[in-house]
Amino acid sequence: AQSVAQPEDQVNVAEGNPLTVKCTYSVSGNPYLFWYVQYPNRGLQFLLKYITGDNLVKGSYGFEAEFNKSQTSFHLKKPSALVSDSALYFCAAFREYGGSQGNLIFGKGTKLSVKP
Amino acid sequence: DAGVIQSPRHEVTEMGQEVTLRCKPISGHNSLFWYRQTMMRGLELLIYFNNNVPIDDSGMPEDRFSAKMPNASFSTLKIQPSEPRDSAVYFCASSKTSRSGELFFGEGSRLTVL
């Protein structure tokens, strides 16, 4: 079965420090991978995606993610965390049905807390 | 662009009542998704439409749930009769194509069933 795992329910980081939010995946074929962010009482917002090419993908708000095929991982990173980065982060993988149809499989989410 | 519009934002109802949640996707998007979010189960896909046609409804919990998309600019999710365990935030999302993966979410409808 195809799945996305986020092993940490919560990540705590001090402002200015680098942050990493972990994600591993299990999908058939070439993986299309995504990160979304959810602020309190809001819908999810797209951050970045990996389709093919460079293993380091840059996205919104200074975030980047590193695709590692051998480790089946797609960790989200940021060199210097801000308090305003505190939110719920979701990793997702595209699941294809065939006939160009498909949808996203989401991980359970990781709550990022950045303290001043 | 107005984004995905959902209504109502909040709904409180009593067990046994019918609930209808509404969604207007972004114009030009041809895929629409309904998700449910709870603390216990996280984010669950309920149903997915492409060009107004339901493609995957395997996530719909049971016959009490139904969803329609009569045209490209409107979808509804109906629960009849509602139960306390249906309490959750229901999100509608749309995307340009079925393979995009870049979903645009609405603000959600928070449902409380007493």
Side-chain angles (χ1 to χ4, degrees), chain B residues 74 78 97 109:
Chain B
F74 184 65
K78 187 174 292 187
T97 71
S109 294

Short mmCIF file of all heavy atoms in Angstrom, two decimals, chain B residues 74 78 97 109:
data_model
loop_
_atom_site.label_atom_id
_atom_site.label_comp_id
_atom_site.label_asym_id
_atom_site.label_seq_id
_atom_site.Cartn_x
_atom_site.Cartn_y
_atom_site.Cartn_z
N PHE B 74 -19.64 24.31 -8.49
CA PHE B 74 -20.36 24.08 -7.25
C PHE B 74 -20.36 22.61 -6.87
O PHE B 74 -20.56 21.73 -7.71
CB PHE B 74 -21.81 24.57 -7.41
CG PHE B 74 -22.63 24.48 -6.16
CD1 PHE B 74 -22.32 25.26 -5.05
CD2 PHE B 74 -23.72 23.62 -6.09
CE1 PHE B 74 -23.08 25.20 -3.90
CE2 PHE B 74 -24.49 23.55 -4.92
CZ PHE B 74 -24.18 24.34 -3.84
N LYS B 78 -23.20 16.23 1.77
CA LYS B 78 -24.37 16.14 2.62
C LYS B 78 -24.23 14.98 3.60
O LYS B 78 -23.74 13.89 3.22
CB LYS B 78 -25.62 15.95 1.76
CG LYS B 78 -26.92 16.01 2.52
CD LYS B 78 -28.11 15.97 1.58
CE LYS B 78 -28.20 17.23 0.73
NZ LYS B 78 -29.43 17.28 -0.07
N THR B 97 -5.57 20.44 -12.72
CA THR B 97 -5.69 19.16 -13.40
C THR B 97 -5.65 18.04 -12.36
O THR B 97 -5.24 18.26 -11.22
CB THR B 97 -4.54 18.93 -14.40
OG1 THR B 97 -3.33 18.71 -13.66
CG2 THR B 97 -4.37 20.11 -15.33
N SER B 109 -15.03 24.01 6.78
CA SER B 109 -16.32 24.12 7.49
C SER B 109 -16.20 23.29 8.76
O SER B 109 -16.01 22.08 8.69
CB SER B 109 -17.47 23.59 6.63
OG SER B 109 -17.68 24.37 5.49
#
